[in-house]
Amino acid sequence: MGQYVLRRLLLMIPTLFGIMLINFLIVQLAPGGPIDLIIEQMMSGSSGALQTRGAGAAMDVGTTTMVDSGTRDAASRGLDPELIAELEAQFGFDKPLHERFGSMIGGYLTLDFGESFYQDRPVIDLIVERLPVSISLGLWSMLLIYLISIPLGIRKAVMDGTRFDAWTSAVIFVGYAVPSFLFAVFLIIMFAGGSYFDWFPLRGLQSDNAHELSLLGRIGDYFWHLALPITSLTIGGFATLTMLTKNSFLEEISKQFVLTARAKGLTERRVLYGHVFRNAMLIVIAGFPAALIGILFTASMLIEVIFSLDGIGLLGFEAIISRDYPIMFGTLFIFTVIGLMLQLVGDVTYTLVDPRIDFEAR
């Protein structure tokens, strides 16, 4: 197994390089960019946030990305070509494409993601500052989803066709049909001072006086702030996994080796957890990396917006809107590394659940 893990780790290097290269080239075709936005504000006389923060963005961003195609015809719109050239140099867009990409990858090898165009802070500091929020949402919600879905799916498979199976399927259908952000809005209305009860906070991961609390008080305050966001993600995410677990167990229960085990006089519990469980759980484990990535960086983004939580998903979304390329590619790099590592963890977990699987012999 050690050789397989080593090969997978080495394979991550060209995979990561290819992902970054493809996305880098795609961005070159995307219209607009930071210089275009600044030019538009200059033309309209706006004093918005981009112009204000962009004026102080004279920094070394050679590790970033593209030359804005819109700046090529900026001179035809009455702007001084020297000003355009100065802006391109200011944002690092005066360098050739391959040089910018090479500089970006070289910086990433030392975890140097450059500085944000508009926040005047190193990208790595912004990621480190916001990553705990996304990790808190992702890990706790995934833990609850698996703790609920797997036992419930097994129970539904064992009691297939009964009343328990029918009414739990109705609950699961509601959870599948209603997205997590709508549950979040409902919970706010009900329990966060919206219209009824004011039991839970709506902002951040800790109270303003958290530093004055004891250790147990800080832990309680932390989960008090996370209660509604995690509940929203859990309700919106457990439906698919529950049905996947149920269908996987139903398929295994109907196989010949289960009938043979029962014929030998084994108890139903021994048959279920000693023989069926390993095979049935393989497909559930296979979906774990994608599910966790989806919770961390996709589903949690709207939850972060609704509950005013500054996570990395929201950071990446804001960077796309404002064309803050150092943050865009910095978060993409982090997402990709985490995703590749989780896929490796999923493969290793395969062998723990079913030792008959030998990736090293492949």
Side-chain angles (χ1 to χ4, degrees):
M1 191 63 186
Q3 293 183 358
Y4 172 76
V5 172
L6 179 60
R7 289 199 300 269
R8 284 291 300 272
L9 290 174
L10 293 176
L11 183 61
M12 287 181 188
I13 298 175
T15 303
L16 183 61
F17 180 86
I19 291 173
M20 297 303 298
L21 176 61
I22 291 173
N23 284 274
F24 179 86
L25 295 177
I26 290 175
V27 169
Q28 313 310 306
L29 304 176
I35 297 179
D36 257 355
L37 296 178
I38 292 174
I39 289 174
E40 291 297 330
Q41 291 191 350
M42 293 172 63
M43 295 291 291
S44 62
S46 171
S47 58
L50 283 178
Q51 184 179 355
T52 301
R53 288 183 285 184
M59 59 188 75
D60 180 13
V61 289
T63 60
T64 56
T65 54
M66 71 180 208
V67 175
D68 292 303
S69 59
T71 63
R72 297 172 182 171
D73 63 344
S76 64
R77 292 185 280 175
L79 294 177
D80 187 353
E82 293 184 0
L83 174 61
I84 304 304
E86 182 180 346
L87 286 173
E88 290 181 353
Q90 186 177 8
F91 284 93
F93 295 153
D94 58 331
K95 299 178 181 179
L97 186 65
H98 66 279
E99 185 177 336
R100 291 198 303 277
F101 180 74
S103 180
M104 181 181 73
I105 295 299
Y108 286 2
L109 295 178
T110 59
L111 295 181
D112 179 10
F113 300 109
E115 294 192 10
S116 168
F117 285 163
Y118 308 121
Q119 301 190 43
D120 198 18
R121 292 181 59 191
V123 173
I124 187 64
D125 289 350
L126 293 171
I127 293 176
V128 170
E129 180 182 289
R130 298 199 180 195
L131 194 57
V133 175
S134 295
I135 290 178
S136 294
L137 290 175
L139 290 183
W140 289 118
S141 58
M142 284 300 297
L143 178 63
L144 282 178
I145 288 171
Y146 271 75
L147 287 178
I148 294 172
S149 299
I150 293 178
L152 181 58
I154 295 174
R155 186 68 174 172
K156 285 176 65 63
V158 173
M159 303 185 66
D160 184 44
T162 64
R163 288 186 177 181
F164 175 83
D165 183 42
W167 72 261
T168 53
S169 294
V171 174
I172 290 171
F173 177 78
V174 173
Y176 183 80
V178 182
S180 58
F181 71 89
L182 286 184
F183 276 115
V185 174
F186 171 77
L187 292 176
I188 289 174
I189 294 174
M190 292 296 299
F191 304 111
S195 297
Y196 298 94
F197 306 103
D198 190 7
W199 293 347
F200 296 94
L202 277 176
R203 181 177 298 275
L205 289 182
Q206 61 181 11
S207 302
D208 294 335
N209 64 337
H211 62 281
E212 302 174 358
L213 302 175
S214 63
L215 176 60
L216 291 178
R218 288 196 297 270
I219 294 175
D221 182 70
Y222 168 75
F223 284 107
W224 181 49
H225 282 75
L226 278 178
L228 295 188
I230 290 178
T231 301
S232 304
L233 289 171
T234 302
I235 293 176
F238 85 101
T240 302
L241 183 60
T242 300
M243 295 308 299
L244 179 65
T245 303
K246 175 190 174 182
N247 294 335
S248 179
F249 269 79
L250 284 177
E251 181 180 355
E252 293 297 323
I253 289 174
S254 63
K255 291 184 178 179
Q256 184 64 40
F257 75 91
V258 176
L259 298 177
T260 303
R262 287 171 174 167
K264 290 181 178 180
L266 297 180
T267 63
E268 191 66 20
R269 184 178 183 85
R270 179 69 181 276
V271 171
L272 191 62
Y273 293 100
H275 295 76
V276 176
F277 185 82
R278 290 191 306 177
N279 294 335
M281 286 303 297
L282 291 179
I283 190 171
V284 177
I285 294 173
F288 175 79
L292 183 55
I293 288 294
I295 289 290
L296 280 174
F297 307 121
T298 304
S300 65
M301 186 186 72
L302 289 175
I303 301 300
E304 291 171 9
V305 174
I306 293 172
F307 290 99
S308 299
L309 298 172
D310 291 331
I312 196 171
L314 180 58
L315 177 67
F317 175 75
E318 291 173 343
I320 294 173
I321 297 299
S322 62
R323 301 296 195 271
D324 199 335
Y325 296 128
I327 294 181
M328 284 175 55
F329 281 89
T331 53
L332 173 65
F333 182 84
I334 296 297
F335 293 171
T336 306
V337 170
I338 293 177
L340 292 174
M341 292 301 297
L342 286 176
Q343 289 180 352
L344 178 58
V345 170
D347 287 349
V348 173
T349 309
Y350 268 164
T351 62
L352 297 178
V353 175
D354 191 347
R356 295 172 299 175
I357 297 177
D358 186 6
F359 287 107
E360 195 164 310
R362 293 172 55 185

